[in-house]
Amino acid sequence: LTEQAESLFPHQYHRLVERLLDQVKEKLPPETIQMLMNSLASSLVGDLRRELEQVPIEARMSRLVALLAQEGFLAEWERSERGLRLIEYHCPYYFIGQRYPEICQIDETMIRLAMGAEVAKETCLLDGDPACEFVLHNRQNAVSSGAS
């Protein structure tokens, strides 16, 4: 079949991923699972971290939103009185995250690594909120103060 024809058939990737996560959680300690999630996020961010080091904060956020879109997220960012906020209206991991909430570490770690900032998750789709919202706090206070 062509790739286009293949897309017409049902895909049950989530079942395979759930079975894999069942095995991982059964056989590995929680610290190792956390390390695997962080490692996965780090590989997804990849070269973007080096690319963003010298870029103004607004451009970094826009580039991060574009990366998240490539991964299946629907996100935007905004400035607020508390600092930069990243809002995710759709999460490609939502279905699996209902059973394995630790999967949320992936995007949270991606945000932290790409932005070089501490991340506080304020709301979560898995909790019934309309979006996942993250507030970013730069380690040198540059994010909250508006400096680049």
Side-chain angles (χ1 to χ4, degrees):
L1 292 176
T2 67
E3 192 172 311
Q4 186 178 15
E6 184 67 34
S7 71
L8 298 174
F9 288 91
H11 296 98
Q12 299 297 325
Y13 298 116
H14 66 275
R15 288 186 182 169
L16 175 63
V17 171
E18 285 180 336
R19 289 179 183 131
L20 179 61
L21 288 171
D22 280 339
Q23 291 298 308
V24 166
K25 287 181 77 169
E26 182 180 308
K27 301 201 181 333
L28 299 175
E31 311 79 51
T32 304
I33 294 169
Q34 182 176 356
M35 188 257 332
L36 287 171
M37 296 294 173
N38 289 340
S39 179
L40 176 59
S42 183
S43 72
L44 289 170
V45 171
D47 295 330
L48 182 63
R49 288 193 316 195
R50 286 183 294 284
E51 174 190 323
L52 295 179
E53 285 176 353
Q54 304 302 319
V55 175
I57 194 76
E58 289 83 4
R60 271 191 269 166
M61 284 298 282
S62 295
R63 184 67 179 94
L64 175 60
V65 166
L67 172 69
L68 290 169
Q70 289 174 347
E71 294 300 320
F73 292 89
L74 174 60
E76 67 180 5
W77 71 273
E78 66 185 24
R79 283 197 180 274
S80 73
E81 63 281 349
R82 297 184 48 219
L84 291 178
R85 289 180 53 224
L86 183 79
I87 303 126
E88 296 173 346
Y89 298 102
H90 169 75
C91 175
Y93 313 137
Y94 179 79
F95 185 81
I96 293 170
Q98 291 176 342
R99 192 162 158 210
Y100 304 96
E102 56 270 45
I103 206 89
C104 290
Q105 280 181 244
I106 295 171
D107 58 325
E108 194 168 336
T109 302
M110 285 174 60
I111 296 164
R112 181 177 45 78
L113 293 174
M115 298 304 295
E118 296 304 320
V119 177
K121 188 173 194 178
E122 300 210 327
T123 64
C124 183
L125 288 162
L126 291 176
D127 294 335
D129 296 313
C132 293
E133 296 183 36
F134 303 90
V135 175
L136 285 72
H137 304 283
N138 186 289
R139 293 181 183 114
Q140 291 83 30
N141 295 322
V143 169
S144 345
S145 69
S148 303

